[in-house]
């Protein structure tokens, strides 16, 4: 069955970096568009970044553009999110998700999430 397992979260200082991983099983990530989304305490789900199935284009929310990089390792069937220049407002539970639909913001499967806390 389809599974997505995120890892790599933790505590980082403002200005620091973290790399999140999302290991997929039950399907091949290179045949689907994939996204990262996050949910901060008391807030709704926020789309963060997405990549099309052929890897031709990547997209970012304005709040993370220029700081985060989404990528994919097809051989490892894994999605990544490199997060640089972290800010306290990046604190959230981060999910990877398999995309259905045309806008990278509709999902049929997602993982349990990995917590990112940015604090000094």
């Amino acid at each position: 069955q389809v599974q997505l397992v995120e890892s790599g979260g933790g505590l980082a200082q403002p200005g620091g970096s973290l790399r999140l991983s999302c290991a997929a099983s039950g399907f091949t990530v290179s045949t689907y568009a994939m996204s990262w989304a996050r949910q901060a305490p008391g807030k709704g789900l926020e789309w963060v970044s997405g990549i099309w199935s052929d890897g031709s284009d990547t997209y970012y929310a304005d709040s993370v553009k220029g700081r985060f990089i989404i990528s994919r390792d097809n051989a490892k069937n894994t999605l990544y999110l490199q997060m640089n220049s972290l800010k306290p407002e990046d604190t959230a539970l981060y999910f990877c998700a398999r995309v259905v639909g045309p806008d990278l913001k509709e999902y049929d499967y997602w993982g349990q999430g990995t917590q990112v806390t940015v604090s000094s």
Side-chain angles (χ1 to χ4, degrees):
Q1 72 276 23
V2 172
Q3 278 195 310
L4 296 165
V5 180
E6 302 93 339
S7 61
L11 176 64
Q13 292 192 337
S17 297
L18 286 173
R19 188 176 82 153
L20 306 184
S21 299
C22 170
S25 59
F27 74 104
T28 303
V29 294
S30 61
T31 62
Y32 284 85
M34 299 290 294
S35 280
W36 286 96
R38 66 187 181 185
Q39 187 164 26
K43 296 188 176 181
L45 191 66
E46 177 191 16
W47 174 79
V48 173
S49 180
I51 183 169
W52 290 115
S53 58
D54 62 1
S56 59
D57 284 300
T58 55
Y59 296 88
Y60 300 92
D62 288 344
S63 57
V64 307
K65 198 172 295 183
R67 301 187 297 121
F68 290 11
I69 302 170
I70 189 171
S71 64
R72 190 177 65 207
D73 185 330
N74 293 337
K76 295 183 178 180
N77 212 33
T78 299
L79 183 74
Y80 299 101
L81 186 69
Q82 177 67 44
M83 307 188 298
N84 302 319
S85 302
L86 284 164
K87 304 176 180 180
E89 51 263 44
D90 294 320
T91 295
L93 187 63
Y94 283 72
F95 301 88
C96 66
R98 191 173 81 170
V99 171
V100 292
D103 67 353
L104 297 173
K105 298 178 183 179
E106 296 178 55
Y107 319 124
D108 61 352
Y109 289 96
W110 51 90
Q112 82 290 347
T114 186
Q115 178 67 40
V116 171
T117 302
V118 184
S119 174
S120 56

